[in-house]
Amino acid sequence: MSEQIIPSIQAHQEFLQGNYNRAVELFEQEIAQYPERVSNYWYLGLALLLQGQEAEAQMAWMAPVMDANLEQAQIWTSELVSVLQTEVERQRALAELSVNGDSQNLKTAWAICQHIREIDAENLSNLWQLLQLSLELGNLNADDRILEQIINILRASPPSPAIADRLVRKVLQQLLNSIPVRPLTFQLANACLGNKSIDAEILFVMLLAKMDAFTHALPLPLAIEYGELCLRLQPKCLEAIANLINWYQNAGKNLESVKLAQNMLAIAHKLEDRIAANYLMTRGFMQAGGHWAEAQTAYQEYMGSVRSLIQLGIPIDINHILNITTTGAFAFYFDDRPQATHQFLRELGRFTQTRIRQHFRYEEIGESGAGSVGEPKIRVGYLSQCLRRHSVGWISRWLFHYHDCDRFKIYAYSLVQTNDNVQQFIAHSCTEFRHLSPADSIDRIASQIQQDKIDILVDLDSLTSKRCYGVLALRPAPIQVTWLGMDAPGLPAVDYFIADPYVLPEVASDYYAQRIWRLPQTYVAVNGFELAVPSLRRQYLDIPQDAVIYLSCQTAVKRHPDTARLQLKIIKSVPNSYFLIKGGDEIEVIQQFFTQIALEEEVSCDRLRFLPEVPSEEIHRANLGVADVVLDTYPYNGATTTLETLWACIPLVTRVGEQFAARNSYTMMVNAGVTEGIAWTDEEYVEWGIRLGTDPHLRQTIARKLHLSRRTSPLWNAKAFTREMENAYRQMWQKHLGDRGSSDLRLNTAL
C-alpha cells in the first residue's frame, strides 16, 4: 500500500474489525480535519458499502475526484481501485477461513468487483476475478456480459503481464468443468490463446482432459469446435483426432472424418491405433454412402490388424479394448457369410472378455452371480443405451408394458437419459428404472446389477454398445441373454441369443457362440406404431397420380451397391415408375451413388427422388403411405423399418439370406401372414419387384392381408409375445437351477 493511501490507523483498525459505523465516524472526522488525505474518502466509501449504503459510498468516492484535473483524477482512480482490490483479497481470505462455508464474504467480494468494473471497465485483472467469483457463487448465468467483456478486451489488446497466469488457468478450468455447454467458454479459450494469456500446451492439456465430457455434455457443433481447437494446438494427438472423427461422423460430416482417419492412419505406429483408424475410416465411408469399395478395403485392413493383435497378445489400454468390442459388426453389412463372421466374433469375444476381466479384477464380481434364489419373483434386468426414442425403444416398450409383475421383477438399466415419451413409458412399466451416468464405469454398472440380484440380464444392444458389451463380459448375472440388437456377440459370458424358427436356420447353432433360443413363432412383436400428419404428397414430389412409387428408406450403411443395382433394374422394367430414396446424412453423396448406378443401368435420373430426413418417427411412418411398394436392403434387411412398412399395409420386397440380419424381414412377413415379396435369389428379388409394380390387384390383396393381420397375426400381438418371452425366462432359470442342483418354488407357478 502506497504512503498516499494509508488511512487513519484507528479508523482502519475499526474497519478491519468490522465496526463499520465507528469506522465511518472516524473517517469522516479525519476528512474534516485533513481534507487533502484522499485515502480516507476511499475507505469511508468502502465502509459505507459494507454497511449496504451503496449510493453514499459512490458519493464518498466521487467527492475528491470531481474537482481534480484529468491527471490527478486518473492517479486517484488508480488508488481507489487498488484499495478496493485489496479488500476483495481480504474478503476472499475471510471466506477461506470460514468454518461453516458461509458465502457472504464471496458475495461481498463480488459486489466490490462490480464497483471496480464500473470505475475501471478495462481492468482485466478485476474482470477475471469477477468471473471467478461468479462461477464460485453460481450466478454467472445472470450476466454473460462479463465473459463477453473479457473476450473483447483480449481480442483487442496485447498480452497483459499484470494478469496472474494461474488465475486465468483456474478460471478456464472452472468454466470447462462447470458449464462447458456455454458457447462463450470456447470463445474465451480461443481469445486467451490468441492473446497469449495462456500457454498453448496448458490449454491443450485442459481440453484433452475434457474430451469424454464434451461427448456427453455438448451440442455436436460446439464439441467439434473444441476438437478442432485441440488439433490446431497438437495436430498429431491421436486421442484428439479420434474424438473429432467420432464427432464429425455423429454430425454427418463423414467424408471430413475420413480425411482425418487417413491422417490418423499415416501417423499411427501402434497396432491398436491403426485398428482404430481403419475402423473409423470404414464407418466414415459407409455412413457417407457411395464409397463401398473403399469401406471394404479399410475393413479388411481392420480385421487383419485385430487378428494380429489377438495372436500377438499385445498388452493394450482398456479403452482400446472396449473400443474394438463392437467393431466386428460391420461384416454383416458387407457379406452374407455368417459362419466366417461369427468365427471372427468368437475370437474377438474370447480375447476382449479375458482382457476386460483382467483389468476390472473380475473375481471381485463373481463368476456366476448370486441371483435371487428363494425370492418369489424372477428378477429380469434389461441393459441398453436405446431405451428411448430409438428403434430398440419403440419395439421393446411393449415387452415392458405387458410383463407379468406378479411373477417377475423388471429392472431397466438405461445408459442414456432423455426422459422422452418412450423412455417415460418404459420407466413407468418397470419395477426399477435406473438412469446410469455416462461417467459410470462398466464395473460400477455390473456391481449395481449384482446388488439388484438380477437373475436374467437381457442385453438389448448386442454389438452396438461397448459399455453393454463390457458389462456382459463381467457377468454380473447368472444368466445372460442377447435380444433385439444387431446379432449375438461372440462373448463366452452370454448364454443365449433369442431368435425364432425363421430368422435363424437350424445350421446356425453350429457356428454361434451362444445357444440359440428359438421362440415358437416370432422373436419380436409390437402392438403397432403411432402416426402423425404426413408431409409428403405426390404433387409435392412432381409425380403423376397414376405412377407407381417404389420406396427405400434405410441408412447409408445398408445400401450395398449390388442391391441398389437390383432396385434400379426394377425401376427400369416398370413403366411410369419412380424411386424414392430416404436415409443418409450426406444426401449429395447418396445422390451421386444412385445416379451413377442409374446411368449404368440406363435409368433416367428424372425418375429418382431423394428425400430429406423428417422431424420425427411419427411423420416418417405417416409418409410411408405415399409408396406403392417398399424395396428392402440386403445383406442387411430392415428391422424397425420393415415393421413400420407392414403396419402401414404396404407390400414389401425382401431378399432372404443366411445371416440374422438378412432374415429379419422374412420372419416379420411370415408372422404377418404374407409371403408375396419374399425372394430367395437376386433374380426373384427383381421378379417380385416388377410383379408388384405392374399388378395393382396383387398390391391391393397384400394390403388387405396386412390390414387383417393386425387382429390375428403373432407379429402384432405383443401381449402373447411377452408371455412367450417369460416362458423362455422360466425355462432358462429352471435349467440354471438344475445345473446347480438347486430348486426354486417360483417355477411351480403355472405357466
Side-chain angles (χ1 to χ4, degrees), residues 317-319 321-322 325 352-366 439-447 466-467 469-475:
D317 180 81
I318 186 60
N319 290 321
I321 290 292
L322 291 174
T325 56
T352 52
Q353 178 170 299
T354 299
R355 295 299 182 91
I356 291 168
R357 290 183 175 187
Q358 287 172 348
H359 177 82
F360 289 105
R361 297 183 179 179
Y362 167 71
E363 64 273 13
E364 293 182 6
I365 293 179
D440 287 334
S441 61
I442 62 173
D443 58 330
R444 285 186 62 184
I445 298 171
S447 294
K466 64 183 180 182
R467 295 178 76 202
Y469 189 107
V471 171
L472 292 171
L474 296 179
R475 189 184 274 279

Side-chain angles (χ1 to χ4, degrees), residues 162-441:
I163 309 301
D165 185 58
R166 65 179 178 275
L167 175 60
V168 175
R169 292 202 309 268
K170 187 172 182 180
V171 172
L172 275 176
Q173 192 69 66
Q174 286 175 307
L175 279 166
L176 291 169
N177 287 341
S178 61
I179 42 175
V181 293
R182 186 184 298 275
L184 286 175
T185 302
F186 172 77
Q187 294 179 31
L188 180 63
N190 231 341
C192 283
L193 186 64
N195 185 268
K196 299 182 181 177
S197 296
I198 188 170
D199 184 84
E201 181 64 29
I202 291 171
L203 180 58
F204 171 74
V205 171
M206 282 186 188
L207 294 177
L208 190 66
K210 298 298 296 180
M211 282 288 190
D212 284 342
F214 290 164
T215 299
H216 303 291
L218 294 186
L220 266 176
L222 189 54
I224 286 170
E225 286 189 317
Y226 276 112
E228 289 171 344
L229 177 57
C230 267
L231 279 201
R232 288 211 317 267
L233 298 172
Q234 290 284 354
K236 293 187 177 182
C237 176
L238 294 177
E239 184 180 348
I241 293 173
N243 275 291
L244 186 53
I245 291 171
N246 277 306
W247 294 337
Y248 275 160
Q249 291 179 355
N250 291 340
K253 298 183 175 183
N254 292 296
L255 293 182
E256 291 179 52
S257 80
V258 166
K259 292 178 183 177
L260 267 184
Q262 290 168 335
N263 180 43
M264 181 179 177
L265 188 61
I267 61 178
H269 299 296
K270 294 181 180 179
L271 185 59
E272 57 266 35
D273 292 328
R274 295 184 66 81
I275 289 171
N278 273 310
Y279 169 72
L280 292 168
M281 197 183 309
T282 303
R283 189 169 70 180
F285 276 131
M286 292 190 71
Q287 289 185 174
H291 296 271
W292 209 261
E294 297 98 319
Q296 200 153 16
T297 298
Y299 192 69
Q300 291 302 319
E301 289 286 334
Y302 154 80
M303 289 186 69
S305 298
V306 171
R307 284 204 161 100
S308 296
L309 180 69
I310 294 171
Q311 291 165 6
L312 296 171
I314 299 171
I316 62 173
D317 180 81
I318 186 60
N319 290 321
H320 280 291
I321 290 292
L322 291 174
N323 284 337
I324 67 173
T325 56
T326 60
T327 58
F330 274 128
F332 298 116
Y333 296 100
F334 289 117
D335 298 298
D336 185 17
R337 297 189 304 126
Q339 295 91 335
T341 301
H342 279 276
Q343 175 59 37
F344 175 71
L345 292 177
R346 277 179 180 244
E347 295 172 22
L348 185 63
R350 287 193 296 265
F351 173 74
T352 52
Q353 178 170 299
T354 299
R355 295 299 182 91
I356 291 168
R357 290 183 175 187
Q358 287 172 348
H359 177 82
F360 289 105
R361 297 183 179 179
Y362 167 71
E363 64 273 13
E364 293 182 6
I365 293 179
E367 176 66 33
S368 62
S372 57
V373 176
E375 292 191 9
K377 300 177 183 180
I378 295 176
R379 296 188 177 206
V380 180
Y382 293 91
L383 176 66
S384 176
Q385 63 183 359
C386 303
L387 298 175
R388 51 191 169 89
R389 289 179 67 93
H390 180 280
S391 292
V392 167
W394 287 113
I395 295 174
S396 66
R397 59 181 172 150
W398 299 110
L399 183 64
F400 287 100
H401 179 67
Y402 285 116
H403 260 310
D404 186 347
C405 294
D406 292 330
R407 295 173 178 170
F408 292 86
K409 282 189 175 182
I410 305 301
Y411 290 72
Y413 301 91
S414 176
L415 301 182
V416 174
Q417 182 173 353
T418 60
N419 290 322
D420 60 42
N421 62 319
V422 174
Q423 189 162 96
Q424 290 180 23
F425 181 92
I426 293 172
H428 291 155
S429 303
C430 296
T431 308
E432 293 285 347
F433 188 93
R434 301 202 184 281
H435 287 295
L436 300 169
S437 164
D440 287 334
S441 61

Side-chain angles (χ1 to χ4, degrees), residues 540-579:
Y540 301 163
L541 300 168
D542 192 25
I543 294 177
Q545 289 299 317
D546 60 345
V548 175
I549 295 180
Y550 291 90
L551 170 67
S552 175
C553 45
Q554 298 292 354
T555 59
V557 295
K558 293 186 179 182
R559 296 201 180 282
H560 196 290
D562 291 348
T563 304
R565 195 172 299 280
L566 298 179
Q567 292 169 342
L568 286 166
K569 286 180 183 295
I570 295 170
I571 305 302
K572 181 181 179 179
S573 301
V574 178
N576 196 26
S577 65
Y578 291 79
F579 191 22

